[in-house]
Amino acid sequence: MSAEPDGPEGRLRRFATIWSRAVFPVTSTSLTRPEFEELLLPLARRLRVALLARAFDAEEGRAVGAALVRVHCTDPEALSRALDCVEAYLVLYCGEDGPQEELRLRSSRLQHAMAAGFAQALRERTLGEQEAIARAALQAQGVVAQALHASEARFRAVFEGAAIGIGIADLDGNVLQVNGALQRMFGGGEGAFRARNVKDWTHAEDAPQVWKLYDELVRGEREHYHVEKAFYRPDGTVLWTNLTVSLLRDADGRPQYQLALMEDTTERRLLNLRLRYEATHDALTGLPNRTLFFERLEKVLAAGEGQRFGLCYLDLDGFKTINDSLGHAAGDRLLVEVADRLQSCATAPGEMVARLGGDEFVALTTGPNARHEVDELAARIMNALLAPVRIEGRELTVRGSIGIVEGAAGERSAAEVLRSADITMYRAKSAGGNRFELADPEADARAITRHGLTTALPAALERGEFFIEYQPLVHLGDGSVRGAEALVRWLHPQHGVLGPDRFIPLAEHTGLIVPLGRWVLEQSVRQARDWCERYGDGAPLRINVNLSPCQLTHPGLVQDTVDILERAGVTPQALCLEVTESALIGADDDLLKPLRRLAEMGVDIALDDFGTGYSNLANLRRLPVSVLKLDRSFTQSMQQFPADPVDLKIVEGIVSLAHSLDLAVTVEGVETGAQAEQLRILGCDTAQGWYYARPGPPERLHQLALVDATG
């Protein structure tokens, strides 16, 4: 069965099609384009596997580059087009749902590996051709000794017709003969070579072993050697070659001549340098990119004992606003200006600035005094950002948040260092931005845990890791149990039972609070039905469920509530929805409309944490609430006798106001009998707290209700 057009195999096939269309026009092959595409398909599959693998393997990229040579994609333009195709489409069609920034980084490294594998395979192919020519030359020289005229013609044909440069010198290094290809490579006539000695062709970038190998060859200790070597042309330019030097012996086996075969690799080297630069530098700003920065950081962290480093992780504040209001072109000009300023801040030895992507930059400093120098570097960066940037006639203020990490080499990996810097930068941004903060291991650990909980939330809901505990609501007049508040808990596989303060803010941030809140409401209403069936309609127990601000603005709130009540067969009067006072401060009619509809149906609305939101008490008249839940901060002093008279007056006033508006008053955090008695005297209606019971399973509420009923 063929793969689905939108499945992984279908997307892989589209990537191979695009690749073949880009490369086929510059490939020397007798195949048709569809046949050529079939050759590229397994190579595309290898790239996808390497892109998605747990650990990066550069060998896969090198193997794909080498395979391009084997399918006759030997033109440098073919490599350039292949790399452009991988850069543009590999992550798009083969990245699936992985982290895009990491996938783009891995794609860049794969491109570099492909270029290296391509160059190596092309070099080996050329060396093979050189060996064949060398054998032909040796064979021709041997035939000279046996049949001079026939061999001379044959050797001359090979010597002059070869596309690579060939030169012959004696064992003292005096050049005896060169072919036309070698003359063209150096840009001089044969006479210019006869006046030269091999040892005159030294170059500043010669590897140390080049001349050691040469000496061994002319002494007869080796038969040949292969090196990459640079030469100066007469005009001062540099010629890069793959050089093969072989020893020619006479009929008695004594060393007699040396034969040099040269392949001009200058253009290929320039292509590799360009590819390397493009793979390691940001196209917009010219700064080193994430790939090169990671290489540098890994080298620094792998340095010996005593080496220290300091890293500044910069993120511009409000950059998205500039992009959205002035356009991406203006945003790009701003990034270029910021990059220039950052470069001017990091000019000392051991300092480096890079762009990681978007509006994120890093600055690195190394040395024994890195602890002090990184603080100075951060201060220079903040100072460099002070001056406004003029773009399209506007003056833009540049602000940035910096996270600083400093430490000794060898203690952490590059990924750990960058993660700590990233976390610290966001801590600086959360503190108002336009500042820098130092890394704090404890804060890092909390942030990592918070991130882990955030990513685990969706699966936790699917796996049923959440459960609900219930805290009874007790009538202060007669001590009877009137209902319970539903409190959600998370049974985390590693962290154990987590309270709502640990994960509700994360659920609100990610939007998961809507399905989680719907689940809590559904479970709680079912529990209310079970209580109704136990006690009958004569003494219904009401269930209180908290609503977050995100749920209030969700368009399906009213319909979801109605559907849940109808499916459970529970009347709206058995449900009370709690909304924090702060969520309703300044609420307009659109926000209050769903609450009014629910109140009109008979659902009670409780104003939770009343007294902490600094709201206007006059607003109570327009809010569709029937219950005030007084914050525990007002009643804590009542745990001891005598209570604070000021608190007593405040509570008394709130209760009087609430009752005048026909609102019931519930008090949270009741922990002592004296507190409960005082609140009863003040006229509060219901209370909850550890004095009555801690949150627990629904069976505990059943036991309390039985005691109340029999007691």
Side-chain angles (χ1 to χ4, degrees):
M1 180 180 292
S2 61
E4 291 294 329
D6 291 329
E9 199 63 22
R11 293 193 293 270
L12 180 69
R13 169 65 72 175
R14 286 200 294 273
F15 171 66
T17 301
I18 295 171
W19 190 1
S20 68
R21 287 173 177 168
V23 176
F24 183 79
V26 292
T27 300
S28 300
T29 178
S30 60
L31 300 175
T32 63
R33 209 244 355 126
E35 291 172 338
F36 183 67
E37 179 181 329
E38 292 301 317
L39 289 179
L40 293 184
L41 185 60
L43 303 185
R45 184 171 286 108
R46 293 188 72 169
L47 288 177
R48 181 178 65 179
V49 171
L51 180 70
L52 301 177
R54 181 181 297 273
F56 178 72
D57 185 4
E59 186 58 38
E60 285 296 303
R62 288 193 289 269
V64 171
L68 289 177
V69 175
R70 290 196 295 273
V71 296
H72 307 295
C73 296
T74 55
D75 192 298
E77 178 66 19
L79 174 62
S80 180
R81 292 189 181 191
L83 295 176
D84 288 343
C85 183
V86 171
E87 179 181 11
Y89 300 106
L90 179 61
V91 174
L92 178 65
Y93 285 111
C94 302
E96 298 181 0
D97 296 326
Q100 296 299 297
E101 188 65 27
E102 293 183 15
L103 291 176
R104 283 192 291 271
L105 172 60
R106 181 165 287 189
S107 173
S108 176
R109 297 175 69 182
L110 279 173
Q111 294 168 49
H112 183 59
M114 284 176 62
F118 180 91
Q120 177 66 21
L122 195 58
R123 179 174 181 273
E124 291 174 355
R125 175 173 172 167
T126 303
L127 289 177
E129 294 175 351
Q130 292 174 349
E131 289 287 354
I133 293 173
R135 286 195 297 271
L138 288 172
Q139 183 179 3
Q141 289 284 59
V143 173
V144 166
Q146 301 174 18
L148 180 60
H149 297 292
S151 65
E152 178 65 26
R154 185 180 303 170
F155 178 75
R156 180 57 54 187
V158 172
F159 189 79
E160 293 297 341
I164 64 173
I166 304 176
I168 299 175
D170 61 24
L171 298 183
D172 293 328
N174 299 311
V175 178
L176 304 177
Q177 197 172 8
V178 295
N179 71 346
L182 191 61
Q183 295 174 38
R184 290 190 294 273
M185 287 165 58
F186 275 86
E190 186 174 8
F193 286 91
R194 291 185 180 277
R196 301 291 298 273
N197 188 283
V198 171
K199 291 191 175 181
D200 294 338
W201 276 304
T202 59
H203 190 275
E205 296 193 37
D206 284 344
Q209 70 268 24
V210 168
W211 294 105
K212 179 177 180 292
L213 294 172
Y214 174 82
D215 290 338
E216 292 175 355
L217 182 130
V218 297
R219 290 199 303 264
E221 297 173 4
R222 66 169 50 246
E223 296 301 314
H224 57 82
Y225 64 87
H226 305 292
V227 293
E228 184 180 27
K229 177 164 170 43
F231 294 89
Y232 289 111
R233 294 189 178 100
D235 61 1
T237 59
V238 177
L239 167 71
W240 280 92
T241 69
N242 276 334
L243 173 65
T244 300
V245 183
S246 301
L247 183 65
L248 301 181
R249 299 177 181 269
D250 61 16
D252 296 325
R254 291 188 297 268
Q256 188 172 20
Y257 302 106
Q258 50 179 312
L259 173 70
L261 305 178
M262 294 186 193
E263 177 203 8
D264 185 352
T265 62
T266 306
E267 290 189 5
R268 190 189 311 162
R269 180 179 177 84
L270 292 175
L271 172 63
N272 285 337
L273 290 175
R274 180 176 69 84
L275 291 172
R276 168 65 179 170
Y277 182 87
E278 292 177 353
T280 57
H281 286 76
D282 177 52
L284 176 65
T285 64
L287 290 178
N289 64 8
R290 179 183 290 268
T291 300
L292 185 55
F293 174 75
F294 258 92
E295 291 178 5
R296 172 71 182 280
L297 182 58
E298 286 172 345
K299 288 181 181 178
V300 170
L301 297 178
E305 185 177 349
Q307 176 72 287
R308 299 191 70 84
F309 73 94
L311 185 146
C312 297
Y313 194 116
L314 167 69
D315 184 271
L316 301 183
D317 298 333
F319 179 73
K320 184 178 184 299
T321 303
I322 295 174
N323 263 349
D324 293 343
S325 59
L326 300 182
H328 288 275
D332 287 348
R333 291 178 60 186
L334 176 62
L335 291 175
V336 171
E337 175 64 24
V338 170
D340 291 342
R341 296 185 185 187
L342 294 181
Q343 279 188 303
S344 68
C345 295
T347 57
E351 293 183 343
M352 172 190 186
V353 173
R355 181 188 178 203
L356 297 186
D359 60 332
E360 295 180 339
F361 299 85
V362 285
L364 178 68
T365 183
T366 59
N369 298 319
R371 180 172 305 183
H372 174 68
E373 292 169 355
V374 73
D375 289 339
E376 291 187 345
L377 179 58
R380 291 200 300 272
I381 292 173
M382 297 300 292
N383 188 59
L385 297 178
L386 287 177
V389 178
R390 291 194 62 83
I391 296 178
E392 299 178 356
R394 301 171 183 260
E395 279 198 352
L396 302 180
T397 301
V398 184
R399 292 162 50 94
S401 301
I402 298 177
I404 299 176
V405 176
E406 188 277 335
E411 293 180 350
R412 287 174 284 183
S413 68
E416 290 171 336
V417 169
L418 205 62
R419 179 175 62 182
S420 177
D422 189 22
I423 292 171
T424 308
M425 178 271 294
Y426 276 106
R427 190 152 47 85
K429 195 175 287 287
S430 299
N434 199 32
R435 58 187 291 152
F436 58 83
E437 294 280 351
L438 297 176
D440 178 359
E442 293 183 1
D444 287 359
R446 289 194 298 270
I448 292 169
T449 300
R450 194 161 53 246
H451 175 72
L453 293 178
T454 301
T455 56
L457 270 170
L461 184 58
E462 294 177 3
R463 289 195 294 261
E465 294 178 2
F466 293 98
F467 66 97
I468 300 175
E469 292 187 328
Y470 299 89
Q471 187 170 37
L473 289 161
V474 177
H475 191 273
L476 286 169
D478 57 15
S480 61
V481 177
R482 295 297 178 90
E485 180 179 1
L487 300 169
V488 64
R489 305 287 190 255
W490 182 2
L491 182 57
H492 193 278
Q494 284 79 41
H495 301 291
V497 176
L498 302 179
D501 58 312
R502 293 287 301 277
F503 61 86
I504 291 296
L506 305 179
E508 290 177 340
H509 179 70
T510 59
L512 191 72
I513 190 65
V514 173
L516 177 60
R518 188 184 300 117
W519 177 85
V520 171
L521 181 62
E522 189 169 12
Q523 297 299 313
S524 303
V525 168
R526 287 180 182 174
Q527 186 58 58
R529 179 196 61 196
D530 293 345
W531 285 332
C532 247
E533 292 174 352
R534 283 174 182 260
Y535 306 118
D537 295 335
L541 292 178
R542 187 178 62 180
I543 190 74
N544 285 31
V545 179
N546 291 281
L547 285 183
S548 77
C550 291
Q551 290 174 274
L552 283 176
T553 59
H554 190 265
L557 172 62
V558 175
Q559 190 59 51
D560 285 346
T561 305
V562 171
D563 291 344
I564 289 171
L565 289 170
E566 289 182 350
R567 282 198 301 270
V570 174
T571 64
Q573 290 74 16
L575 175 63
C576 177
L577 298 177
E578 298 189 9
V579 184
T580 60
E581 181 187 21
S582 58
L584 296 183
I585 292 177
D588 56 19
D589 288 340
D590 288 338
L591 182 63
L592 295 178
K593 186 179 295 182
L595 291 181
R596 287 199 178 102
R597 288 184 57 191
L598 290 169
E600 291 166 357
M601 290 166 41
V603 175
D604 280 333
I605 307 297
L607 196 59
D608 198 10
D609 298 333
F610 182 77
T612 62
Y614 307 105
S615 63
N616 189 339
L617 295 178
N619 284 338
L620 286 175
R621 300 186 60 182
R622 72 183 189 91
L623 298 179
V625 299
S626 55
V627 180
L628 291 186
K629 291 197 73 174
L630 193 61
D631 187 73
R632 68 183 64 208
S633 60
F634 290 102
T635 62
Q636 283 179 336
S637 67
M638 300 180 192
Q639 294 178 8
Q640 303 297 328
F641 185 84
D644 187 327
V646 175
D647 286 344
L648 291 175
K649 286 292 184 182
I650 292 174
V651 173
E652 184 179 21
I654 293 174
V655 172
S656 176
L657 173 65
H659 287 170
S660 69
L661 296 174
D662 199 23
L663 303 177
V665 178
T666 298
V667 184
E668 298 179 296
V670 178
E671 297 184 9
T672 66
Q675 191 179 12
E677 178 60 20
Q678 188 65 68
L679 291 169
R680 184 191 66 78
I681 294 172
L682 291 173
C684 297
D685 299 290
T686 54
Q688 64 186 94
W690 288 6
Y691 173 66
Y692 302 105
R694 297 193 180 197
E699 293 78 14
R700 182 181 300 174
L701 192 79
H702 173 58
Q703 295 168 0
L704 290 172
L706 286 178
V707 171
D708 172 53
T710 60

